[in-house]
């Protein structure tokens, strides 16, 4: 079976790392006589426009019939950061279509690649994609925020409170762009954490974990994730497994600075589950209610302060490439 790769490149991802990554893989494609078409994102939102155009005019859904009739078969390959991949898959979600998608990480955080076990090296990531002949299913998060009636998917996590405030501060900071140039993007998150910790107050939150209602009077952080990482490689839930159709929820309570410093040290040692102020749940259905307006974030994209009535369930996506996590063929489809 022959393949034609439609490569969507965000050159600005990772403060220019997307352009550098494209410069590495395109010569390799030529050397291997691989059939491809390049699509460069040129402005904010262009990723979505390109994805929508490809969905309507070029890409086809993976099935036994299309495998026989489409030769070469069109495969979408995304080169960019987690935000780029999120925008593409969110576009397909809104269009209610599904196509196999490959990914070469070129962002500043690359949490998705870490979570699923993809090579961070561009050449190795390309070899990984070219080595497969069929897609696999991977686990993602499907959310519905009822107050705003906003629905979508998250490839990494959805957070309310501290992590969202950190994302907001980081995305609006000049430090991120500067540090990304030296491959130190994670430090921009650390600087933002230190800043936000001073001002972030505890807020009441109610979580419904598989039918069990659990209230917290002073939550500091509330994050739902489908793999261990957030914030550019910070292992917030070391035990999270992207191969399973489950949701991992983390609640951190507001505590005094000394205890919080101890919790941060445990976090860096991947031992935060030992803290009584760090609460972890694994479920297949989740609801989070926050009546006090807070910042929200989905895959590192900050949302304005608002109250939340959030429902999250597992969903899945056809992925083109080998991963280090086992995949389940029975993952729930959207």
């Amino acid at each position: 079976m022959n393949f034609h790769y439609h490569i969507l490149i965000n050159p600005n991802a990772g403060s220019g790392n997307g352009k550098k990554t494209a410069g590495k893989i395109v010569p390799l494609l030529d050397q291997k006589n691989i059939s491809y078409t390049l699509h460069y994102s040129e402005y904010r939102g262009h990723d979505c426009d390109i994805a929508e155009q490809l969905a309507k005019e070029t890409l086809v859904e993976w099935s036994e019939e299309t495998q026989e009739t489409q030769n070469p078969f069109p495969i979408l390959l995304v080169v960019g950061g987690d935000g780029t991949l999120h925008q593409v898959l969110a576009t397909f979600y809104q269009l209610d279509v599904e196509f196999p998608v490959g990914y070469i990480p070129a962002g500043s955080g690359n949490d998705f690649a870490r979570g699923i076990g993809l090579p961070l090296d561009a050449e190795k990531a390309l070899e990984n994609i070219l080595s497969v002949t069929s897609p696999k299913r991977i686990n993602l998060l499907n959310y519905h925020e009822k107050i705003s009636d906003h629905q979508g998917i998250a490839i990494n996590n959805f957070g309310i409170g501290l992590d969202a405030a950190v994302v907001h501060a980081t995305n609006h900071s000049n430090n991120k762009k500067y540090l990304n140039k030296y491959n130190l993007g994670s430090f921009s998150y650390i600087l933002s954490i230190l800043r936000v910790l001073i001002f972030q107050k505890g807020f009441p939150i109610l979580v419904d974990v598989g039918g069990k209602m659990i209230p917290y009077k002073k939550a500091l952080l509330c994050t739902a994730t489908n793999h261990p990482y957030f914030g550019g490689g910070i292992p917030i839930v070391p035990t999270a497994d992207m191969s399973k159709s489950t949701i991992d929820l983390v609640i951190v309570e507001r505590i005094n600075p000394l205890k919080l410093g101890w919790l941060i040290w445990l976090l860096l040692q991947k031992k935060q589950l030992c803290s009584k102020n760090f609460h972890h749940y694994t479920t297949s259905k989740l609801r989070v209610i926050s009546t006090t307006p807070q910042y929200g974030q989905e895959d590192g994209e900050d949302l304005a302060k608002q109250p939340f009535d959030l429902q999250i369930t597992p969903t899945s996506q056809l992925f083109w490439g080998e991963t280090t996590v086992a995949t389940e063929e029975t993952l729930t489809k959207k």
Side-chain angles (χ1 to χ4, degrees):
M1 188 174 184
N2 296 317
F3 303 100
H4 182 92
Y5 297 91
H6 288 270
I7 308 175
L8 193 163
I9 300 168
N10 181 351
N12 295 318
S15 295
N17 192 42
K19 182 179 180 180
K20 294 178 182 178
T21 300
K24 293 178 181 178
I25 67 170
V26 171
L28 293 177
L29 292 168
D30 291 332
Q31 291 175 15
K32 298 176 180 293
N33 294 318
I34 301 297
S35 176
Y36 68 90
T37 302
L38 301 180
H39 307 267
Y40 282 93
S41 174
E42 299 177 353
Y43 51 83
R44 186 175 181 84
H46 199 194
D47 302 326
C48 300
D49 295 340
I50 295 172
E52 182 173 356
Q53 183 176 2
L54 289 172
K56 292 179 177 179
E57 300 177 3
T58 305
L59 301 177
V60 296
E61 296 190 354
W62 183 268
S63 67
E64 292 184 3
E65 180 181 353
T66 56
Q67 291 177 58
E68 296 177 355
T69 59
Q70 297 291 323
N71 192 17
F73 194 95
I75 297 294
L76 177 61
L77 170 56
V78 176
V79 179
D82 288 351
T84 308
L85 182 61
H86 169 88
Q87 292 296 330
V88 170
L89 295 183
T91 299
F92 292 163
Y93 177 91
Q94 297 300 329
L95 294 173
D96 196 24
V97 293
E98 183 185 32
F99 310 105
V101 177
Y103 177 56
I104 294 182
S108 56
N110 297 322
D111 286 327
F112 177 81
R114 288 187 177 91
I116 200 172
L118 294 179
L120 298 181
D121 177 79
E123 290 88 348
K124 292 180 180 179
L126 178 62
E127 290 295 338
N128 178 25
I129 289 168
L130 298 179
S131 67
V132 301
T133 57
S134 62
K136 294 182 178 179
R137 287 206 166 271
I138 59 171
N139 185 39
L140 303 179
L141 302 178
N142 180 8
Y143 68 84
H144 181 195
E145 203 295 296
K146 288 191 170 184
I147 296 176
S148 61
D149 195 26
H150 179 57
Q151 301 183 52
I153 60 170
I155 65 172
N156 292 325
N157 43 61
F158 195 113
I160 301 170
L162 176 67
D163 64 328
V166 169
V167 166
H168 177 81
T170 303
N171 288 350
H172 294 82
S173 169
N174 293 327
N175 291 329
K176 182 177 181 180
K177 184 175 182 180
Y178 175 79
L179 291 170
N180 280 345
K181 292 182 180 180
Y182 300 95
N183 296 318
L184 298 173
S186 294
F187 282 96
S188 63
Y189 287 94
I190 295 174
L191 293 174
S192 296
I193 288 173
L194 295 176
R195 254 194 331 267
V196 170
L197 279 175
I198 299 174
F199 302 102
Q200 180 70 25
K201 297 180 180 180
F203 57 96
I205 200 165
L206 178 65
V207 296
D208 180 347
V209 182
K212 182 180 180 181
M213 305 296 291
I214 308 171
Y216 290 93
K217 293 182 179 180
K218 292 185 177 181
L220 180 67
L221 173 149
C222 175
T223 298
T225 184
N226 66 329
H227 63 68
Y229 304 103
F230 88 140
I234 300 173
I236 187 171
V237 187
T239 58
D241 188 346
M242 201 169 182
S243 71
K244 298 178 180 179
S245 55
T246 55
I247 308 157
D248 283 87
L249 173 69
V250 167
I251 302 286
V252 176
E253 295 180 271
R254 182 73 198 189
I255 49 182
N256 67 56
L258 289 178
K259 289 183 178 180
L260 190 57
W262 173 249
L263 179 56
I264 292 174
W265 185 87
L266 290 175
L267 176 65
L268 296 176
Q269 301 298 315
K270 300 183 181 181
K271 297 179 179 179
Q272 63 269 32
L273 298 180
C274 299
S275 172
K276 65 179 182 179
N277 302 113
F278 186 98
H279 306 276
H280 171 229
Y281 306 93
T282 300
T283 182
S284 59
K285 188 176 181 180
L286 174 67
R287 184 181 181 188
V288 178
I289 301 173
S290 172
T291 56
T292 305
Q294 298 293 325
Y295 284 116
Q297 66 86 15
E298 50 173 330
D299 292 339
E301 297 295 322
D302 57 289
L303 306 174
K305 273 191 174 181
Q306 64 182 78
F308 287 89
D309 185 352
L310 182 69
Q311 290 189 342
I312 301 179
T313 55
T315 187
S316 69
Q317 165 67 38
L318 285 173
F319 187 78
W320 195 268
E322 290 292 342
T323 69
T324 59
V325 298
T327 54
E328 295 178 337
E329 295 299 329
T330 57
L331 289 178
T332 306
K333 294 185 179 181
K334 176 169 66 73

